[in-house]
């Protein structure tokens, strides 16, 4: 009889891919069926995120709850970035945890699963030639890691400490992996990396000369692959050649994440982001010029140490100028192993909260205008999920969530959809006949 696996995934897209990889790896050794019920699981894995403090604090209370609810003999594993940065301490604080598996070590899941109190958290482990497992959360879309780790040293960010040195996966392996996914029904690929457009910086065992633009061109040659997305690029590496490829390659979806973090050049310097406010605005202008239909999303941190009112006004100014289609905004959270956590000019919490509220409120107004303007537009939508009530959900080329009336036959199809109703979070449309 197959075992039952309950797996909770927190954090970023790379964690979602790591979860898929762990499922695939486990299934090479034993039959595992996924379950949503904690009580019936034989194996419970929490794939954690440590980018901000809150989810880390939540982890230990969650382990307590899981331990109470789980059936006799069921195992609990903690994987991901919090596993990397706390390591053995997790077992010390919560002895009910059976194994700890760092974000860089997910390939070792089958080795640790049978051992009591195994801890694998080395960030030196080189999986650059490792083909990631064949399991997809969504059968219509493939997620593919093109690089792992991060070589930047943004002073607020714990990721370089948890995921280790940046290594690119050889392009032939990537083409193989994507081709297989396409053969099994995926028309879309999401290329993943903490610093995705820095691809090619360092390979592990294999030497080759290719950059991200070259990789995009190579991958576009795969027959049957219709859509390419990628996350997260770094503004610093958005050179003209890359933006021109983004704009002109018909397979590349016209959605781009340009993580700002702060609009203040001085703060960007303190964050060690490597670009200025002017460079950021220039890159966004270039995107708008080359590709006016592109949706631009961003990440913003408020309350970074030393952030003055003027610094924050610079951030608001960039928001007004770029008018992002999507905003992920966070209050700065001091993290271990980061430089900024040692700065003595931390911003009071109430000041950071007030700034976050103002930023989000203004963005909401902008978003309402952007979404209202979609009325009557025609989008190419890739349908990927059935929803209750004879409804099918998909994504437009520029990443917007679109609902239409319909049934299973639409799944896995790309069709022209006319938008008939708009709201802040999604669009309603009708499939145009003949699509
Ligand atoms: N390279 C990745 C970054 C991963 S962290 C990417 O671009 O997606 C994702 C986001 O979390 C960052 O862009 C940043 O906005 C936010 N973040 C990272 N560290 C943070 C911290 N200490 N406090 C608040 N937000 C943080
Ligand atoms: Fe973090 Fe900066 Fe890398 S945000 S993941 S250190 S690019």
């Amino acid at each position: 009889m197959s075992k039952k696996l309950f797996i909770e995934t927190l954090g970023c897209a790379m964690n979602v891919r790591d979860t898929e990889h762990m499922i695939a790896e486990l299934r090479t050794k034993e039959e595992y069926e996924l379950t949503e019920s904690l009580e019936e699981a034989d194996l419970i894995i929490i794939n954690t995120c440590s980018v901000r403090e809150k989810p880390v604090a939540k982890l230990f209370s969650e382990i307590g709850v899981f331990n109470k609810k789980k059936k006799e003999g069921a195992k609990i594993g903690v994987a991901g970035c919090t596993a990397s940065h706390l390591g053995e301490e997790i077992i010390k604080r919560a002895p009910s945890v059976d194994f700890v598996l760092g974000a860089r070590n997910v390939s070792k899941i089958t080795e640790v699963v049978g051992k009591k109190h195994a801890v694998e958290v080395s960030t030196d482990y080189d999986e650059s030639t490792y083909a990631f497992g064949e399991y997809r959360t969504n059968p219509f879309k493939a997620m593919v890691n093109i690089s792992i780790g991060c070589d930047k040293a943004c002073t607020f960010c714990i990721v370089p400490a948890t995921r280790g040195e940046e290594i690119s996966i050889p392009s032939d392996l990537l083409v193989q992996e994507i081709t297989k996914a396409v053969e099994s029904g995926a028309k879309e690929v999401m290329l993943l990396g903490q610093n995705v457009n820095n691809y090619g910086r360092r390979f592990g065992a294999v030497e080759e000369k290719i950059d991200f633009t070259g990789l995009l061109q190579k991958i576009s040659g795969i027959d049957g692959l219709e859509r390419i997305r990628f996350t997260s690029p770094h503004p610093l590496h958005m050179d003209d050649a890359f933006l021109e490829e983004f704009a002109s390659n018909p397979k590349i979806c016209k959605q781009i994440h340009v993580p700002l973090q702060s609009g203040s050049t001085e703060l960007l310097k303190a964050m060690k982001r490597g670009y200025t406010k002017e460079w950021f605005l220039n890159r966004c202008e270039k995107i708008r010029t080359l590709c006016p239909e592109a949706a631009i999303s961003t990440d913003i941190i408020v309350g970074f140490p030393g952030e003055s009112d003027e610094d924050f006004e610079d951030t608001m100014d960039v928001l007004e100028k770029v008018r992002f289609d999507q905003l992920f905004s966070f209050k700065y959270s001091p993290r271990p192993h980061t430089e900024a956590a040692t700065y003595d000019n931390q911003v009071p919490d109430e000041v950071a909260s007030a700034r976050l509220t103002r930023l989000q409120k203004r963005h909401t107004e902008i978003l309402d205008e952007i979404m209202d303007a979609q009325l009557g537009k025609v989008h190419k939508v890739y349908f990927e999920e059935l929803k209750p009530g004879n409804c099918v959900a998909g994504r437009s080329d520029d990443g917007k969530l679109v609902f239409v009336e319909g049934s299973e036959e639409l799944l896995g199809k790309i069709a022209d959809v006319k938008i008939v109703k708009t709201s802040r979070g999604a669009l309603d449309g009708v499939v145009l006949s003949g699509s």
Side-chain angles (χ1 to χ4, degrees):
M1 217 179 70
S2 67
K3 289 190 170 169
K4 294 214 159 61
L5 168 66
F6 174 97
I7 183 157
E8 179 187 28
T9 309
L10 307 163
C12 66
M14 279 135 264
N15 260 16
V16 176
R17 182 61 186 135
D18 287 345
T19 286
E20 293 181 343
H21 183 46
M22 286 190 279
I23 296 169
E25 285 293 295
L26 283 167
R27 284 180 173 169
T28 61
K29 294 275 184 319
E30 265 182 289
E31 268 181 55
Y32 275 97
E33 195 185 314
L34 292 175
T35 177
E36 309 248 313
S37 151
L38 195 79
E39 288 84 354
E40 65 171 29
D42 300 287
L43 176 59
I44 297 163
I45 300 176
I46 314 172
N47 193 6
T48 59
C49 169
S50 62
V51 157
R52 281 165 294 276
E53 195 179 0
K54 247 195 201 148
V56 179
K58 231 183 83 188
L59 173 68
F60 288 97
S61 60
E62 192 161 56
I63 293 170
V65 173
F66 285 11
N67 190 39
K68 273 209 195 94
K69 284 193 177 170
K70 78 180 175 84
K71 71 177 184 193
E72 186 75 35
K75 292 196 170 118
I76 301 181
V78 175
C81 283
T82 307
S84 307
H85 99 88
L86 291 181
E88 224 155 355
E89 202 189 314
I90 295 180
I91 291 175
K92 280 198 194 122
R93 277 176 70 179
S96 60
V97 169
D98 290 279
F99 62 87
V100 174
L101 189 65
R104 190 74 177 231
N105 314 86
V106 284
S107 298
K108 295 189 175 175
I109 180 72
T110 54
E111 287 172 42
V112 296
V113 80
K115 287 187 201 152
K116 187 72 185 160
H117 288 172
V119 178
E120 288 284 354
V121 292
S122 158
T123 50
D124 299 332
Y125 183 55
D126 178 6
E127 35 185 9
S128 59
T129 54
Y130 197 89
F132 275 72
E134 279 178 61
Y135 172 81
R136 290 204 298 279
T137 311
N138 184 323
F140 305 106
K141 300 195 292 195
M143 295 175 114
V144 172
N145 277 319
I146 68 163
S147 57
I148 48 180
C150 180
D151 271 1
K152 294 269 185 282
C154 302
T155 54
F156 53 80
C157 186
I158 195 173
V159 173
T162 60
R163 289 191 178 260
E165 194 175 66
E166 189 172 316
I167 283 182
S168 303
I169 316 265
S171 63
D172 286 342
L173 269 185
L174 296 175
V175 169
Q176 264 173 37
E177 190 177 337
I178 299 167
T179 305
K180 261 193 202 157
V182 170
E183 281 164 5
S184 65
K187 287 186 178 147
E188 180 176 309
V189 66
M190 171 71 99
L191 307 175
L192 299 175
Q194 293 296 339
N195 212 342
V196 81
N197 55 339
N198 200 28
Y199 178 79
R201 182 186 149 80
R202 183 191 302 113
F203 291 95
V206 182
E207 261 314 316
E208 63 171 310
K209 286 235 170 308
I210 182 167
D211 64 2
F212 188 57
T213 305
L215 181 72
L216 287 170
Q217 289 162 347
K218 190 163 172 173
I219 286 173
S220 326
I222 298 174
D223 274 346
L225 179 66
E226 300 200 27
R227 288 184 157 198
I228 302 171
R229 297 186 192 273
F230 50 85
T231 202
S232 258
H234 194 295
L236 182 65
H237 303 297
M238 291 190 177
D239 56 27
D240 286 356
F242 161 64
L243 292 182
E244 279 155 18
E245 184 64 29
F246 168 76
S248 64
N249 185 328
K251 287 196 177 180
I252 299 180
C253 289
K254 301 305 177 243
Q255 175 192 23
I256 188 162
H257 190 63
V258 195
L260 170 66
Q261 312 304 355
S262 167
S264 153
T265 295
E266 210 169 304
L267 233 62
L268 287 168
K269 212 169 174 189
M271 290 175 166
K272 298 208 174 134
R273 290 289 290 174
Y275 53 87
T276 60
K277 177 187 182 186
E278 287 67 37
W279 168 260
F280 185 91
L281 287 173
N282 172 284
R283 294 297 85 188
C284 291
E285 257 174 56
K286 181 100 190 167
I287 295 167
R288 296 270 193 241
T289 310
L290 291 171
C291 191
E293 73 276 23
I296 303 180
S297 58
T298 201
D299 288 350
I300 291 176
I301 297 176
V302 299
F304 181 82
E307 186 184 63
S308 65
D309 286 339
E310 293 76 50
D311 291 322
F312 179 64
E313 290 311 324
D314 272 327
T315 300
M316 291 300 288
D317 184 44
V318 175
L319 181 76
E320 290 303 333
K321 290 199 164 102
V322 182
R323 295 173 61 85
F324 300 101
D325 291 80
Q326 228 183 339
L327 165 70
F328 301 93
S329 50
F330 317 98
K331 229 178 354 175
Y332 168 72
S333 167
R335 307 303 298 122
H337 312 293
T338 65
E339 205 181 306
T342 66
Y343 296 170
D344 54 11
N345 49 358
Q346 306 286 326
V347 172
D349 191 56
E350 59 283 8
V351 174
S353 293
R355 287 178 186 161
L356 188 65
T357 305
R358 198 180 135 205
L359 178 78
Q360 291 177 338
K361 188 164 172 286
R362 181 63 193 127
H363 174 252
T364 303
E365 292 165 4
I366 292 171
L367 184 62
D368 283 343
E369 288 168 19
I370 291 174
M371 294 304 262
D372 284 350
Q374 304 298 314
L375 198 66
K377 284 199 174 163
V378 175
H379 281 286
K380 276 217 172 328
V381 176
Y382 183 30
F383 294 104
E384 58 192 52
E385 204 186 336
L386 280 180
K387 293 282 177 189
N390 207 25
C391 179
V392 191
R395 291 270 166 193
S396 64
D397 187 89
D398 68 351
K400 295 185 171 61
L401 182 61
V402 181
F403 296 111
V404 301
E405 223 181 83
S407 56
E408 258 169 353
E409 299 94 74
L410 277 177
L411 288 178
K413 300 225 163 72
I414 297 175
D416 284 335
V417 171
K418 185 167 178 174
I419 304 306
V420 295
K421 200 170 149 225
T422 69
S423 70
R424 192 174 294 160
L427 303 169
D428 286 344
V430 286
V431 177
L432 296 180
S433 58
S435 309

